[in-house]
Amino acid sequence: MNSKKLIYLVDLTHTGPVISSDVFPYGVAMVGAYLKAHHSDEVEIELFKFPDDFARALEKRKPDMIGFSNYSWNFYLSYEFSEHIKEKYPETVIVFGGPNYGLNRAEKENFWRDFPQIDFYITGEGEVSFTNLYEKLKAHSFDVRTLKASGTPLGSCDYLHEGKIVTNALTLRVKTLNELPSPYLLGLMDKFWDTSLIPLIATTRGCPFSCAMCSEGAAYYSKVVHNENFGVELDYIANHVKNTKILNLSDANFGMYKQDIDKATLMAKFQASHGYPKSLLTATGKNQKEKVIEIASLLNGAMVVFASLQSTDPEVLENIKRSNIKIESLKGVADASKIQDSNTVTELILGLPGDTVEKHKKSLKDTVDAGLGVIRMYQLIMLFQSELNTPANREKYETKTLYRIMPRSFGKYNVFGKTFVSVESEEICVATKSMPHSDHLDCREIDLVVEILHNGSPFLEYWYICDWLGHSWFDFLMQVYAQRKSFSPQLKNLFDDFRKDNETGYWKSYMELKTQFVAEFDKFINNADGTNEMSKAKAKAFFLCGDELHSLMKEQMQLLLMEKKVWDKTFELFLNELDQFIRMRKTDVLNYDDVYSHVFNFDFVTLLSIKTGTDPRKLMLRQPAKFEFYIDEKQRNVYESYIRIYGKDSIDALGRLLMRTRMTDMFRRVRLAGNTDEKESQSIDGSKANMETYYSYS
């Protein structure tokens, strides 16, 4: 007879339209690894990510204890499972843990009033605290009431007893990640290699910054600890991974520490020996940008360089306790990233305290004109455990909020023969005393222009012409934005629908949202466009309005060239052919096998490889040349990984592909016709072919 305690550790993802959370359940796995290392002869541990897998296991065996991760993208799904579990197995101990939990007394009282089926809530780091809780439960024969009544101190653990909330002091954080055993090396992750999930791992934990809008801004997380066993774990992952070429690091500031150079060198070795990772997803350091760029260069273009800003306005930054690197330094980051063949990404948040339309536009202009390739423009989410979420700050800044459906985080599930509908939400700031709701909507439309026309460099060729003209690329984007009322019918409808989505896809409370969602579930689940307004609009722009979009950009560029008084017959030919070239790069990008060709009088490939503005007329060839447009093996590997996760048969899936990946990697590479040796052919990655016989200008 098996006398071991059965422990389930669960990091659920919604699987309604697509997989919502696409990474290995690393957080709960770390909790399980610590418990197993200390009590391997007493416990049987299994991890779960997918609701169907979890439901089947519950129906076969009764667990003694279940630990759920609590994030904004899976809380209601986890809690609704808990309700069914408590009904079937009332003695099973339900433990939650994670950042989606209040800090102050009022927030905690609301939480425990609304979610009474939870037995214990672990705050802060979970590994040591969960094991301590297991030991205390074992000492009290796994009787929750007896343990609570005993008054035994439970570090980092809150619970409800006789109608009162009992809180305990936080357990001290670990001094190094080496104190925590690896769930990979213990085999706890092995069941996930056959899935489409992306391996997730930490090389550091903690963040030295105190940003007011972030749950990691608390002093508890300020000390950064390192994982010195990263190389051993990476070796295990590289030798077991099957269905993806992507690696995700949970670090808050990768590349900011001297140890990160060794980690990058190690990853580069595995790239050479195992072809893994081809793509690295992580948040890079908020300062030490020279070191971040050096690390990006070691990783062969696999890593995107982040320059997280939130805003460039001094007053806004002061309000959120944030200081940024100078804009001049950002320009250096962008220039170096072009050289190192890695994208740059920065984050801006709309609606921060003190933000206005003009301040938001200035932040966009600063970052776009600095040359940063992707500007992630978020709305302010009122996160638990963040300073901006406190009642005092809400009142101070007159914060008005609404609730929206968290993109892709919903579905219908079955357990114990019962079916339930679950949906997650985000509480979004839609107005403050400095930014009325109408201004917020205007800013969202401006953000959409930047998302469609700038992010991922879909019109990089026009960007370089602006650079040659000495004209602000952001000002050109605003030139396009100013014409939005006279766009083609399809593009005008796209912008009108986007604004409407930002007005109607919101509710006053979660319960109001949930009620309508349940009543109209079939409409939501069958909506192939998804609920992410920005992602949906971007996918429609490129896959449904591509002709109109390219014609619009060509028309606006011609107007600019005429305004700058450089328009002539050569430029007319150049612009007509450039329009065709840009379209060819985006032709049938999800069809990897076909190669397309076209004859041009200009060497547009060199325009891209120069990576800066140059007189386009200098690129005219002595004789026309045929160029081929193709998808290379590296692109196939990365995109097949994403397609296995998201699919490609809906606007929602295509939007996620565009938002999650580097768009320039999605576009077709270019080479001289007949030259299939990528090392010798001239292509957009900067490799060179002998073009001397073609040029008419030196």
Side-chain angles (χ1 to χ4, degrees), residues 255-422:
M256 204 170 79
Y257 308 103
K258 63 180 185 299
Q259 298 96 320
D260 295 339
I261 294 176
D262 294 334
K263 298 168 195 170
T265 302
L266 189 62
M267 282 187 274
K269 290 180 180 178
F270 279 98
Q271 286 178 326
S273 61
H274 291 71
Y276 179 86
K278 294 287 187 184
S279 178
L280 181 68
L281 304 178
T282 189
T284 57
K286 297 173 181 63
N287 55 29
Q288 301 289 331
K289 288 304 173 186
E290 294 80 7
K291 194 173 293 179
V292 172
I293 293 166
E294 178 185 354
I295 285 170
S297 70
L298 295 171
L299 290 169
N300 305 301
M303 187 181 84
V304 171
V305 177
F306 277 80
S308 184
L309 293 178
Q310 319 314 343
S311 174
T312 63
D313 182 75
E315 180 186 0
V316 174
L317 292 172
E318 183 178 354
N319 289 339
I320 62 173
K321 298 182 178 180
R322 182 66 185 267
S323 62
N324 284 335
I325 60 176
K326 296 179 179 179
I327 295 300
E328 294 78 12
S329 299
L330 285 181
K331 184 67 166 64
V333 170
D335 291 343
S337 296
K338 291 175 185 177
I339 296 170
Q340 307 296 355
D341 190 30
S342 61
N343 257 1
T344 53
V345 178
T346 192
E347 297 171 341
L348 298 176
I349 297 179
L350 174 64
L352 290 169
D355 204 6
T356 65
V357 174
E358 291 309 313
K359 288 179 180 180
H360 186 66
K361 287 178 67 175
K362 179 63 163 54
S363 293
L364 287 169
K365 181 176 175 62
D366 287 341
T367 49
V368 168
D369 285 347
L372 296 169
V374 175
I375 319 296
R376 286 282 171 245
M377 298 150 291
Y378 298 113
Q379 297 180 89
L380 176 60
I381 302 173
M382 308 307 291
L383 295 174
F384 284 107
Q385 302 189 8
S386 67
E387 190 174 330
L388 289 186
N389 191 44
T390 60
N393 275 308
R394 285 176 180 249
E395 181 179 356
K396 178 180 179 181
Y397 298 114
E398 298 178 16
T399 305
K400 304 293 189 298
T401 66
L402 292 172
Y403 290 78
R404 72 175 181 188
I405 295 171
M406 180 166 286
R408 309 171 188 91
S409 296
F410 52 84
K412 183 180 288 186
Y413 307 98
N414 296 279
V415 63
F416 304 129
K418 298 180 180 180
T419 300
F420 65 94
V421 170
S422 182

Side-chain angles (χ1 to χ4, degrees), residues 9-15 19-23 25 28 47-55 58 66-82 85 96 409 413 420 422 424:
L9 295 171
V10 188
D11 177 33
L12 291 178
T13 176
H14 280 275
T15 55
I19 295 172
S20 174
S21 171
D22 55 15
V23 295
V28 294
L47 307 183
F48 295 93
K49 185 75 178 181
F50 301 106
D52 288 348
D53 181 34
F54 183 44
L58 288 169
I66 305 177
F68 288 94
S69 68
N70 178 18
Y71 298 103
S72 57
W73 54 83
N74 69 1
F75 172 68
Y76 285 101
L77 174 60
S78 298
Y79 186 72
E80 283 153 348
F81 259 101
S82 297
I85 292 166
F96 272 58
S409 296
Y413 307 98
F420 65 94
S422 182
E424 312 297 337

